[in-house]
Amino acid sequence: AFYQPSLHLLNNKKPSAKSVTDYYFPKLIVEDSMLYLKSAYNKIPAFYIKDRKGEHRIVQKSIGTEEWFGYRNGKVVYTAFSTHPRWSLIDYSDLVLLDLRTRKEVRISHHMKYFTPDLSPSGNTIVAIRINDSLETQLQVMESKNGKLLQSFSSANAYFTNPRFINENSVVVGVRTPDSKMSLQQVELTSGKWTPLTPPLSSSISVPYVQHDTIYFTASFFGNDDLFALTLTDKKLFQLTNRSLGTYDPSAFRETLVFTSFTSYGLQLESMPLESALWQSVSPDALVSYKEKYKVALENNILDIPTKRFSTKRYKASTHLFNFHSYSPNYSDPEFTFSLYGNNILNTFTNELFYRYNRNENSHGFGRNTAFGGLFPVLSAGSEYTFNRHLTLPGKVILKDQLEVRVGANIPLNFTKGKTYRFFNVGSNYVFNRSIPKGMYKDSVSSGSVGYLHHFISWYQYLPRAVQHIYPKIGYTIVANHRHYVSSKGSQFLTGGQLFLPSLGNHSIVIAGSIQETKADTTNVVFSNRFSNSRGYSDRYFTRMWKLSGNYHFPIAYPDFGFASIIYLQRLRANVFYDFTRVYRFNKTRLRDLRSVGGEIYFDTKWWNQLPVSFGIRMSHLLDDGFGTQDRRGKNYFELIVPVNLISQ
C-alpha cells in the first residue's frame, strides 16, 4: 500500500535564519518515525527521532569529523574522534555502535582511521573505509560485536568512498581512480568479484542508500547535485530530481523518498512519493557525452605531463625557524597580551613576541617566548622586561622595573574523546628575576636578583559549543600556579576555575572562583599580582584574597551586518554578574569584603572577515567601601572591555 509520511515528520514552517539547522541522513525507520542527525547554530550534533508526538533527542553524537551514519534494527554505527595524548596531529576515527533503545554506546575499534561505516541487514557485520598513513583506502568488513576484521579489499589505483550493504554478501561503493574519475561498483564479499554499475566519469557520486533492488544516490552527472536511482536487476539508471540547488542523503521507505535539500537555512528535510519523482531514464552514452557548461580544470590530463624523479634527503628541522605568520590579542584578567606568533615549517619550534599590560599594577611589559616540541616534554624559554610596576601596599605605592628570564618544560596532553574536549597541562620553570626599584620608596625595597621556581597545572573539560553558544553548556576549567624562591622563604599560590552550567537556549551560566596567597614575602615585590578583584574595585595586593562570582550571559541580537569587508558584527550579547571578594591582612586575619553587581554588553565581531574580536562595556555597582576614594559603596563604575578570548585551551 502507498505510504506517505505525515507532514509533522517534515519541516512545515520556515526556519529562523538566526538558527540555521542541518538535518543529515533522514531515515524512516518504522511507519511514522524518522531518524536523523541534527546540528544547528544553537545545538550541538545529536541523534533525533521524530514521530506523531514530536521530536525526541536520543543522544549527543560523540565528537567526530563526519556526519555519516548507518542504521539497522535499532542500532546506529558512526565514527568518533580521538587523538594521541601528546602528539595531537596523530588522530583517530573509531567505530561506535549506538543502541537506540538503551542509548548506550560501545566503541568497537581503537586507534584506527575508519570512515563512512554501514551495518549489514542482520546487523552482524560492519563495512567501512579505512585510510592508512599514506592516504590509501581499504574496504574492510568486520564483526559488529567486537570489531574483528573479517575481510579487506584494497587497490593501489582506487580510492573507495561511501560503502553501503546491498545484502549480507554484497556492497555498493564509490570508486575514484587517479585520473579523477568516479563510478559506483558492486563487490561480492565471498568471491571478491567487482562489477561496475556506472561508467567512470568526472562527476561526484556520494551518499548511496539501498532499498530492495534499487540504489538511490546523489551525483553531479549533469552539473548539479541531483538524486538518481539505479536498479540492480537490469542496471538501468534514472534521474529523480532536477533542481537548481543540491539534494542529498536519500533514503526510501515503501513508496516514499526522503532526502535533504540545500537552503540558506541549512540542509532541510523533504519527501516525495516515489511515483512523483522524474524517473527520467539516463543512458550511459548520455553520461559519457555530456559536456560541462563551465569547465573547472584543464582539458588535458595533467598526469600525461612527463615526470622526473628527484633525489631525496632528510628535511632540516632548522629550516625557516623564525617564520612569523599571525598575531592575536588575549585577555585573561587582569592581564592583556598582544602576541606575534611564528613556527618553523615542521611545527616543532615556536616563537612568540608579545606586549603585556597588567591592569592591577598598571605595568607594561615586552618579551619573547620560545618552545621546542620535538620531544615528549615541551622545552621552553623566555624573557620579559616590565616597566613601571605599581605595587599598591598599605600606606604606599612601590614603583619598579623588572627583568625576568626563564627556562622550563611542560607536558601538554589532549585526552579529547567521546562527548567532551579534555586538555591537561603540567610543567615547571626556573625564573631569574632582577628588580630595579624606582620612585620615592625605592630605598625601602632592596634591588638585586633572585631565582624562583614556577610550577603550574591545568585541566579543561567541556562539551563542544554550537556556533551561537557563548560558553559550553556543561564543563569546567581548573588552573593552579605556585611560585617559590629557590634559596629563601617566600611563595605565591594562585588557583582558579570556572564551572559552566546548563541553561536555556543560547544562554550561559558561569560560576567562577579564584584564590591567591603569598607567604613570607611580606612586601610582595617579586611575584606579580595576578588576582582579579571584584569588578569595579581598584586592585590591591594583599597576603590572602579569594573571590567567587556568578555570571549569566545571554544574546540580545544577531545583526549579521558587515561594513566594506572590514568589520562584521555577528552578535550583541550581555552578561549580568555578582562578585564577592574577601581580603586579609598580612597576619591572615579578615580585613574586608568587596562585593559588586553589574552588567556587561559585548560586541562579537570579525575583522577583515577573519579575526574574531570581542569587546564591550561594563557597569559595576559597588556594594562595599574599597580602599580608595573612588571605591565608595553605591558608586557606579564604567569600564571598556578590551578584546577577549572566550575559552583558552
Side-chain angles (χ1 to χ4, degrees):
F2 171 74
Y3 169 75
Q4 172 71 6
S6 303
L7 290 177
H8 66 265
L9 290 182
L10 304 176
N11 295 345
N12 52 20
K13 64 179 181 179
K14 185 178 179 180
S16 169
K18 307 306 179 185
S19 57
V20 174
T21 303
D22 291 313
Y23 298 84
Y24 298 100
F25 302 101
K27 294 174 175 58
L28 290 164
I29 55 177
V30 295
E31 190 168 305
D32 229 9
S33 290
M34 183 185 295
L35 168 70
Y36 48 79
L37 175 69
K38 184 170 79 169
S39 175
Y41 275 19
N42 59 357
K43 295 182 183 297
I44 57 180
F47 293 103
Y48 291 80
I49 289 181
K50 197 170 188 179
D51 57 23
R52 291 187 179 276
K53 296 180 181 180
E55 186 180 68
H56 312 279
R57 185 178 184 274
I58 304 303
V59 67
Q60 175 194 335
K61 179 181 178 291
S62 293
I63 297 170
T65 59
E66 61 180 3
E67 290 79 23
W68 174 287
F69 69 92
Y71 168 82
R72 297 281 185 174
N73 308 321
K75 293 186 177 181
V76 167
V77 63
Y78 68 98
T79 59
F81 171 86
S82 63
T83 180
H84 187 285
R86 175 60 183 89
W87 313 109
S88 294
L89 291 180
I90 303 175
D91 54 33
Y92 310 102
S93 180
D94 284 311
L95 299 174
V96 173
L97 195 62
L98 166 64
D99 191 322
L100 295 179
R101 300 179 182 88
T102 63
R103 304 188 181 187
K104 292 183 178 180
E105 292 185 343
V106 178
R107 191 172 290 236
I108 59 176
S109 71
H110 301 280
H111 294 172
M112 302 295 287
K113 291 189 176 182
Y114 283 121
F115 298 92
T116 59
D118 191 39
L119 280 162
S120 66
S122 66
N124 294 329
T125 56
I126 294 173
V127 63
I129 302 298
R130 180 178 180 267
I131 301 180
N132 63 22
D133 293 336
S134 300
L135 300 183
E136 298 171 335
T137 61
Q138 295 175 320
L139 182 68
Q140 294 195 346
V141 181
M142 63 218 77
E143 293 183 3
S144 60
K145 62 181 180 180
N146 55 20
K148 179 182 177 181
L149 182 63
L150 300 176
Q151 289 177 283
S152 182
F153 302 89
S154 61
S155 172
N157 296 317
Y159 191 94
F160 301 132
T161 66
N162 300 159
R164 291 286 193 192
F165 275 102
I166 298 174
N167 51 51
E168 292 290 331
N169 187 47
S170 63
V171 171
V172 59
V173 61
V175 179
R176 182 171 63 84
T177 50
D179 59 356
S180 298
K181 292 187 177 182
M182 195 168 186
S183 64
L184 274 183
Q185 297 195 29
Q186 179 179 349
V187 55
E188 301 294 332
L189 300 181
T190 53
S191 64
K193 178 184 177 182
W194 290 78
T195 304
L197 302 177
T198 63
L201 301 168
S202 299
S203 303
S204 64
I205 302 175
S206 61
V207 293
Y209 181 85
V210 181
Q211 185 196 38
H212 305 313
D213 69 335
T214 304
I215 302 173
Y216 302 91
F217 60 96
T218 295
S220 61
F221 289 148
F222 302 115
N224 186 62
D225 287 338
D226 278 303
L227 299 184
F228 292 82
L230 186 143
T231 53
L232 293 170
T233 53
D234 52 15
K235 303 298 188 297
K236 289 185 177 181
L237 180 65
F238 301 90
Q239 184 173 354
L240 303 182
T241 62
N242 185 10
R243 299 189 175 190
S244 57
L245 296 177
T247 49
Y248 306 94
D249 306 341
S251 69
F253 182 82
R254 296 186 181 176
E255 301 300 323
T256 297
L257 182 66
V258 181
F259 54 95
T260 62
S261 59
F262 182 80
T263 74
S264 59
Y265 309 108
L267 287 171
Q268 298 298 301
L269 296 172
E270 287 197 47
S271 76
M272 68 169 68
L274 280 171
E275 64 181 13
S276 298
L278 293 179
W279 289 104
Q280 181 177 331
S281 180
V282 179
S283 67
D285 292 339
L287 294 177
V288 174
S289 62
Y290 174 76
K291 299 297 182 181
E292 298 177 358
K293 294 181 180 180
Y294 308 100
K295 290 191 176 298
V296 294
L298 297 173
E299 293 185 7
N300 297 327
N301 188 347
I302 62 173
L303 298 179
D304 294 336
I305 299 176
T307 61
K308 180 181 179 180
R309 182 175 295 276
F310 294 88
S311 60
T312 61
K313 61 181 179 180
R314 186 174 180 84
Y315 193 88
K316 293 183 178 179
S318 60
T319 304
H320 297 296
L321 281 179
F322 304 100
N323 180 34
F324 289 96
H325 51 75
S326 59
Y327 57 88
S328 174
N330 181 51
Y331 182 64
S332 179
D333 198 19
E335 292 184 331
F336 167 77
T337 305
F338 187 88
S339 301
L340 177 66
Y341 297 101
N343 296 68
N344 67 334
I345 300 299
L346 294 180
N347 202 33
T348 57
F349 184 70
T350 66
N351 283 277
E352 175 192 7
L353 301 178
F354 65 87
Y355 161 78
R356 177 177 290 128
Y357 172 73
N358 185 307
R359 71 177 185 89
N360 280 0
E361 301 178 351
N362 195 27
S363 63
H364 305 266
F366 296 89
R368 174 191 171 185
N369 291 318
T370 187
F372 176 71
L375 305 176
F376 188 81
V378 176
L379 306 180
S380 60
S383 61
E384 179 179 4
Y385 194 92
T386 305
F387 299 88
N388 298 329
R389 285 187 62 197
H390 291 73
L391 306 175
T392 305
L393 305 177
K396 59 183 177 181
V397 177
I398 295 176
L399 182 66
K400 71 166 190 169
D401 290 351
Q402 177 177 283
L403 170 67
E404 286 196 339
V405 180
R406 67 170 182 86
V407 292
N410 67 293
I411 302 175
L413 300 177
N414 184 347
F415 295 107
T416 296
K417 189 176 183 180
K419 314 296 184 184
T420 61
Y421 292 103
R422 287 172 280 183
F423 301 96
F424 176 78
N425 190 22
V426 62
S428 293
N429 291 309
Y430 172 79
V431 183
F432 170 82
N433 178 284
R434 172 89 177 165
S435 295
I436 309 170
K438 301 167 61 176
M440 62 184 300
Y441 294 106
K442 66 179 182 179
D443 294 333
S444 65
V445 179
S446 61
S447 63
S449 304
V450 66
Y452 68 87
L453 291 174
H454 169 214
H455 314 290
F456 54 91
I457 188 171
S458 64
W459 172 257
Y460 301 145
Q461 183 173 7
Y462 49 84
L463 288 176
R465 285 188 299 156
V467 173
Q468 292 179 343
H469 287 174
I470 301 173
Y471 285 92
K473 286 298 183 181
I474 299 176
Y476 62 95
T477 68
I478 301 174
V479 179
N481 292 267
H482 182 62
R483 295 170 172 86
H484 63 89
Y485 295 143
V486 174
S487 58
S488 61
K489 293 182 178 180
S491 65
Q492 180 197 70
F493 176 74
L494 173 65
T495 184
Q498 292 177 301
L499 178 64
F500 309 111
L501 299 177
S503 54
L504 299 174
N506 293 326
H507 297 199
S508 294
I509 300 174
V510 183
I511 307 298
S514 59
I515 301 173
Q516 180 173 280
E517 181 171 333
T518 60
K519 294 181 179 180
D521 181 22
T522 56
T523 57
N524 299 303
V525 296
V526 173
F527 304 125
S528 296
N529 181 14
R530 296 172 174 84
F531 183 82
S532 177
N533 205 349
S534 292
R535 281 163 275 197
Y537 290 93
S538 60
D539 292 290
R540 302 293 180 100
Y541 205 165
F542 292 92
T543 185
R544 177 186 294 170
M545 300 176 281
W546 61 262
K547 171 188 170 184
L548 288 174
S549 66
N551 301 268
Y552 190 90
H553 298 264
F554 57 94
I556 299 175
Y558 297 92
D560 284 336
F561 173 78
F563 176 74
S565 296
I566 298 175
I567 182 172
Y568 189 83
L569 180 57
Q570 295 177 298
R571 175 174 57 192
L572 179 66
R573 57 185 172 90
N575 174 41
V576 293
F577 65 84
Y578 170 79
D579 288 346
F580 181 99
T581 296
R582 178 167 292 175
V583 299
Y584 294 79
R585 295 182 175 90
F586 285 111
N587 60 5
K588 304 299 175 64
T589 61
R590 174 182 168 184
L591 177 60
R592 190 170 299 179
D593 292 339
L594 304 174
R595 299 171 298 156
S596 64
V597 296
E600 301 165 333
I601 295 179
Y602 290 92
F603 301 86
D604 293 331
T605 66
K606 275 196 174 182
W607 288 79
W608 299 284
N609 293 328
Q610 294 291 328
L611 179 64
V613 176
S614 296
F615 60 91
I617 56 176
R618 173 189 298 146
M619 190 280 288
S620 305
H621 179 75
L622 308 187
L623 302 179
D624 298 294
D625 289 335
F627 296 95
T629 57
Q630 74 277 20
D631 297 347
R632 298 293 93 186
R633 181 173 58 186
K635 183 177 179 180
N636 295 325
Y637 189 73
F638 292 88
E639 296 174 278
L640 175 66
I641 306 172
V642 295
V644 298
N645 287 345
L646 294 181
I647 293 181
S648 297
Q649 297 182 1

